[in-house]
């Protein structure tokens, strides 16, 4: 048999699926796309996570878009982290041009321009449905991890959460928590000490410093109400197609701490709110993290450990996570070893270090009798990649160099007007952008401190107390209780969301964002 026939036979056998699948393109043999060898990834393996890597400009973001839109077409909702603002195009149909025409002719797939139903979300002041969570919902374990606190400081955070819970003080934003910190070493010191133990100002000042550090990255924007519900990310449109939720993050690219905090919270919440699903015909949700090095580069050891354990466990909940980054080694080894789909675009060999990285990358792909992997890695064109996936039985497929299809949606961005139109028609934007300004710990404690000061003055200049006057604490509690009506946060606060991961706290079910 000719070498080319053996090649075709290997790939056709390796990539034929029985169940539903998504098609990425056709395999390349000696630089030519072979129409018969279409590269199909079974839907049932898409919860096995993935990686898209390659040098700048080689087509990683476009590949993300191709995979994501094909998932939507197969009824799988996707969540896209758009760090450079170049993913909004998924909402609109693409435009056929001679290059795309040539590409699709070569791979033997029709080009049918089509956009995906899309929701735009934001963590900041960018247009879109606001993603927010209250401090209460984080729970003390996660909140301490985000601040990278030691055991003593985490203990204090736990006491303050408990105190706020017992006294019905809503901790909505960072301002609330800072006020509580201040109160715990000031006017409230004796009261808290009696019931909960001593809180030292050395620890509280460290905690305060770390909160200020987080705030300097703009975190105050995403602590507060109204809490986002994960169920709003798992929707299909009127035609049964998955909805793409694009989180617009271009303004937090330079704030890696905020980004990794947000990602961990998101994954923890998805993990906590999705039931165990076992092996499904297709995933319930796939999450794509473009520029993923941003999460891993500056994340603390504690955050990294949490991210790794969630990635390991979230698969069985029917959730797939896809990392997109230039160098595969931006992603920790423990995460890399869990990835089912690997798409490697071209790498550039400028330096000795680059050449070593190429060799190492090549060694991590299955050996192929048809390719010299390290040579191929530097010679792949834009929109071409080496692919290794899992077949329906969970066995790695043969290595394929693939000429990828073009996305059916637009490559690049939507105009400001198109984004405005999308958001004004969005139901979830209307739901989450409503301004809520509820009285919370900050106002209550400020009032309490004022009351205490007045009391002190009263002691200095004795004034007869009214017969039915209640203690300050009673007053605060009563007022707060009245304001609590209709609110869900306090009763649903999960003390230590990650308790479910055996990392502390309880595992009470809750339905907020984080
Ligand atoms: N599959 C494809 N079909 C058609 N055009 C493509 C394809 N892949 C890439 N391109 C072209 O290459 C350009 C660069 O691709 P892309 O933005 O995905 O690169 P990237 O690897 O994400 O780069 P960076 O690291 O800078 O983010 C695209 O704007 C598009 O014009
Ligand atoms: Mg990109």
């Amino acid at each position: 048999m000719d070498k080319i026939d053996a090649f075709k036979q290997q790939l056709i056998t390796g990539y034929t699926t029985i169940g539903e699948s998504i098609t990425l393109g056709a395999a390349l043999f000696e630089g030519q796309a072979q129409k018969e060898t279409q590269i199909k990834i079974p839907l049932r393996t898409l919860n096995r996570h993935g990686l898209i890597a390659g040098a700048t400009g080689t087509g990683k973001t476009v590949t993300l878009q191709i995979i994501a839109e094909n998932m939507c077409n197969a009824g799988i909702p996707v969540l896209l982290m758009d760090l450079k603002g170049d993913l909004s195009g998924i909402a609109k149909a693409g435009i056929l041009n001679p290059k795309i025409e040539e590409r699709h002719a070569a791979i033997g797939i029709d080009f049918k321009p089509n956009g995906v139903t899309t929701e735009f979300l934001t963590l900041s002041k960018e247009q879109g449905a606001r993603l927010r969570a209250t401090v209460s919902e984080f729970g003390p374990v996660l909140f301490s991890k985000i601040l990278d606190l030691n055991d003593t400081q985490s203990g204090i955070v736990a006491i303050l959460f408990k105190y706020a819970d017992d006294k019905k003080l809503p901790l909505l934003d960072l301002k609330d928590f800072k006020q509580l910190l201040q109160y715990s070493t000031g006017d409230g010191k004796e009261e808290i000490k009696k019931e909960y133990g001593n809180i030292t100002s050395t620890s509280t000042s460290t905690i305060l410093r770390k909160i200020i550090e987080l705030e300097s990255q703009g975190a105050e924007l995403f602590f507060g109400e109204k809490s986002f519900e994960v169920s709003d990310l798992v929707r299909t449109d009127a035609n049964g197609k998955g909805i793409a939720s694009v989180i617009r993050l271009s303004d937090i690219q330079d704030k890696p701490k905020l980004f990794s905090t947000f990602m961990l919270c998101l994954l923890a919440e998805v993990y906590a709110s999705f039931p165990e699903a076992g092996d499904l015909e297709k995933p319930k949700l796939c999450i794509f993290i473009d520029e993923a090095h941003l999460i891993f580069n500056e994340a603390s050891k504690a955050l990294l450990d949490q991210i790794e354990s969630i990635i390991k466990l979230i698969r069985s909940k029917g959730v797939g996570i896809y990392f997109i980054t230039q160098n595969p080694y931006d992603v920790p080894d423990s995460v890399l070893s869990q990835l089912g789909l690997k798409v490697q675009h071209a790498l550039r060999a400028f330096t000795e270090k680059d050449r070593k990285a190429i060799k190492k990358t090549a060694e991590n792909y299955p050996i192929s009798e048809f390719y010299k992997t390290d040579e191929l890695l530097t010679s792949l064109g834009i929109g071409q990649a080496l692919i290794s996936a899992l077949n329906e039985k969970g066995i790695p497929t043969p290595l394929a160099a693939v000429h990828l299809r073009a996305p059916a949606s637009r490559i690049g961005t939507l105009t400001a007007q198109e984004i405005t139109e999308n958001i004004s028609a969005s139901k979830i934007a209307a739901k989450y952008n409503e301004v809520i300004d509820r009285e919370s710990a900050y106002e209550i404690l400020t009032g309490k401190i004022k009351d205490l000061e007045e009391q002190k003055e009263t002691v200095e200049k004795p004034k007869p107390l009214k017969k039915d006057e209640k203690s300050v604490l009673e007053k605060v509690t009563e007022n707060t209780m009245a304001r609590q009506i209709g609110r869900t946060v306090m009763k649903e606060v999960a003390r230590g969301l990650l308790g479910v991961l055996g990392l502390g706290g309880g595992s009470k079910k809750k339905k907020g964002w984080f």
Side-chain angles (χ1 to χ4, degrees):
M1 189 165 30
D2 278 358
K3 201 170 171 197
I4 186 164
D5 291 332
F7 170 82
K8 285 183 189 170
Q9 196 175 28
Q10 185 193 65
L11 289 169
I12 292 169
T13 318
Y15 286 90
T16 298
T17 66
I18 305 162
E20 268 189 90
S21 61
I22 59 174
T23 306
L24 299 184
L28 289 157
F29 181 78
E30 291 175 359
Q32 297 298 314
Q34 307 299 317
K35 290 180 190 168
E36 305 89 334
T37 58
Q38 306 252 318
I39 301 305
K40 294 176 193 260
I41 316 293
L43 298 190
R44 60 179 317 131
T45 65
L46 293 176
N47 67 329
R48 305 285 292 265
H49 309 323
L51 172 79
I52 303 169
T56 181
T58 49
K60 300 181 295 295
T61 302
V62 171
T63 300
L64 178 171
Q65 194 174 338
I66 297 165
I67 299 177
E69 70 176 19
N70 280 287
M71 287 178 174
C72 290
N73 291 335
I76 305 165
V78 297
L79 175 62
L80 314 181
M81 306 292 147
D82 189 5
L83 279 122
K84 294 213 291 206
D86 49 3
L87 284 170
S88 55
I90 197 166
K92 295 273 178 203
I95 300 158
L96 185 64
N97 63 33
K99 275 189 171 170
I100 293 181
E101 206 167 346
E102 194 186 320
R103 182 178 282 273
H104 275 250
I107 61 181
I109 301 176
D110 286 343
F111 180 77
K112 295 190 197 123
N114 196 13
V116 163
T117 308
T118 304
E119 291 281 4
F120 291 103
L121 314 172
T122 174
L123 277 186
S124 60
K125 288 187 174 140
E126 288 225 43
Q127 271 187 301
R130 285 285 297 272
L131 288 167
R132 268 179 293 217
T134 65
V135 171
S136 288
E137 285 168 306
F138 270 75
V141 176
L142 195 51
F143 195 65
S144 301
K145 293 230 184 283
I146 285 161
L147 297 175
D148 203 12
L149 303 181
N150 67 23
D151 287 351
T152 318
Q153 295 149 359
S154 308
I156 289 172
V157 169
I159 290 180
L160 295 179
F161 267 74
K162 175 86 174 77
Y163 175 79
D165 213 12
D166 290 349
K167 301 295 184 245
K168 309 278 182 289
L169 296 173
L171 295 174
L172 304 183
D173 48 26
L174 292 174
K175 198 169 67 169
D176 289 332
F177 195 79
K178 284 194 296 185
Q179 185 74 345
L180 179 58
L181 261 180
Q182 220 162 14
Y183 179 75
S184 72
T185 49
D187 289 322
K189 190 172 169 69
E190 287 311 311
E191 177 202 342
I192 295 179
K193 186 176 171 182
K194 223 168 31 199
E195 275 183 71
Y196 304 87
N198 195 25
I199 289 182
T200 62
S201 50
T202 356
S203 295
T204 54
S205 43
T206 313
I207 302 173
L208 189 62
R209 187 169 48 75
K210 301 236 174 161
I211 293 179
I212 292 168
E213 207 181 294
L214 195 64
E215 276 179 326
S216 72
Q217 301 228 337
E220 76 276 9
L221 280 170
F222 105 98
F223 285 99
E225 287 185 304
K226 180 177 193 175
S227 306
F228 199 92
E229 285 168 31
V230 165
S231 54
D232 280 326
L233 299 176
V234 202
R235 294 184 299 140
T236 45
D237 67 11
N239 303 318
K241 305 222 161 146
I243 292 183
S245 304
V246 175
I247 309 191
R248 309 178 67 209
L249 295 165
S250 35
D251 53 349
I252 70 157
Q253 279 196 59
D254 53 343
K255 296 168 182 148
K257 195 167 168 80
L258 181 58
F259 183 52
S260 52
T261 301
F262 161 70
M263 270 320 299
L264 176 62
C265 302
L266 171 70
L267 295 178
E269 173 64 4
V270 168
Y271 180 80
S273 51
F274 279 45
E276 248 343 279
D279 272 338
L280 298 171
E281 284 300 307
K282 61 185 179 200
K284 288 186 187 157
L285 172 71
C286 285
I287 302 173
F288 291 82
I289 308 170
D290 203 356
E291 308 290 328
H293 61 278
L294 290 179
I295 306 189
F296 298 114
N297 280 2
E298 286 202 28
S300 65
K301 172 91 175 59
L303 270 187
L304 276 182
D305 287 349
Q306 302 262 281
I307 292 178
E308 282 168 26
S309 12
I310 293 183
I311 289 166
K312 205 172 285 168
L313 297 163
I314 211 166
R315 200 177 97 187
S316 60
K317 305 238 171 175
V319 180
I321 303 176
Y322 291 75
F323 300 96
I324 296 87
T325 190
Q326 293 197 7
N327 184 338
Y329 301 103
D330 291 336
V331 178
D333 279 347
S334 57
V335 173
L336 276 183
S337 62
Q338 301 182 45
L339 306 174
L341 175 65
K342 285 192 266 175
V343 180
Q344 177 66 56
H345 285 273
L347 286 170
R348 306 277 175 243
F350 295 121
T351 63
E352 177 61 30
K353 200 172 153 218
D354 291 341
R355 281 186 286 277
K356 279 194 183 133
I358 289 168
K359 208 158 172 280
K360 196 169 154 203
T361 304
E363 282 163 5
N364 273 314
Y365 277 82
I367 293 170
S368 164
E369 61 195 280
F370 303 106
Y371 299 122
K372 286 203 179 89
T373 311
D374 50 350
E375 281 174 25
L376 201 61
L377 276 175
T378 51
S379 61
L380 287 165
I382 293 172
Q384 299 184 334
L386 273 178
I387 291 185
S388 144
L390 294 174
N391 68 15
E392 281 155 322
K393 296 195 184 101
I395 300 165
T397 53
L399 183 68
V402 181
H403 198 47
L404 295 154
R405 67 194 300 170
S409 52
R410 187 190 298 174
I411 294 175
T413 53
L414 255 55
T415 63
Q417 196 192 337
E418 284 169 327
I419 291 190
T420 308
E421 276 166 17
N422 176 298
I423 293 164
S424 42
S426 159
K427 280 203 197 95
I428 69 156
K431 175 173 163 189
Y432 291 109
N433 292 359
E434 186 194 340
V435 177
I436 301 176
D437 191 12
R438 220 149 43 78
E439 189 168 42
S440 57
Y442 178 80
E443 290 84 7
I444 297 168
L445 288 170
T446 311
K448 196 165 160 178
I449 292 166
K450 206 165 138 247
D451 280 354
L452 283 169
E453 269 157 18
E454 274 170 21
Q455 262 195 356
K456 267 192 226 153
E457 276 177 28
T458 321
V459 175
E460 280 155 23
K461 302 179 240 155
K463 197 166 50 170
L465 269 176
K466 281 184 211 135
K467 234 189 6 227
D468 55 347
E469 196 160 56
K470 297 197 168 116
S471 79
V472 178
L473 192 59
E474 270 171 334
K475 272 198 283 183
V476 170
T477 311
E478 229 174 47
N479 287 344
T480 322
M481 287 301 278
R483 286 177 212 110
Q484 294 299 307
I485 297 169
R487 90 185 236 106
T488 54
V489 175
M490 290 308 285
K491 68 173 193 290
E492 302 207 51
V493 172
R495 287 284 163 260
L497 174 60
L498 298 186
V500 278
L501 301 176
L503 297 163
S507 59
K508 242 190 281 173
K509 176 77 190 81
K510 62 174 200 63
K511 70 165 191 274
W513 174 231
F514 297 132

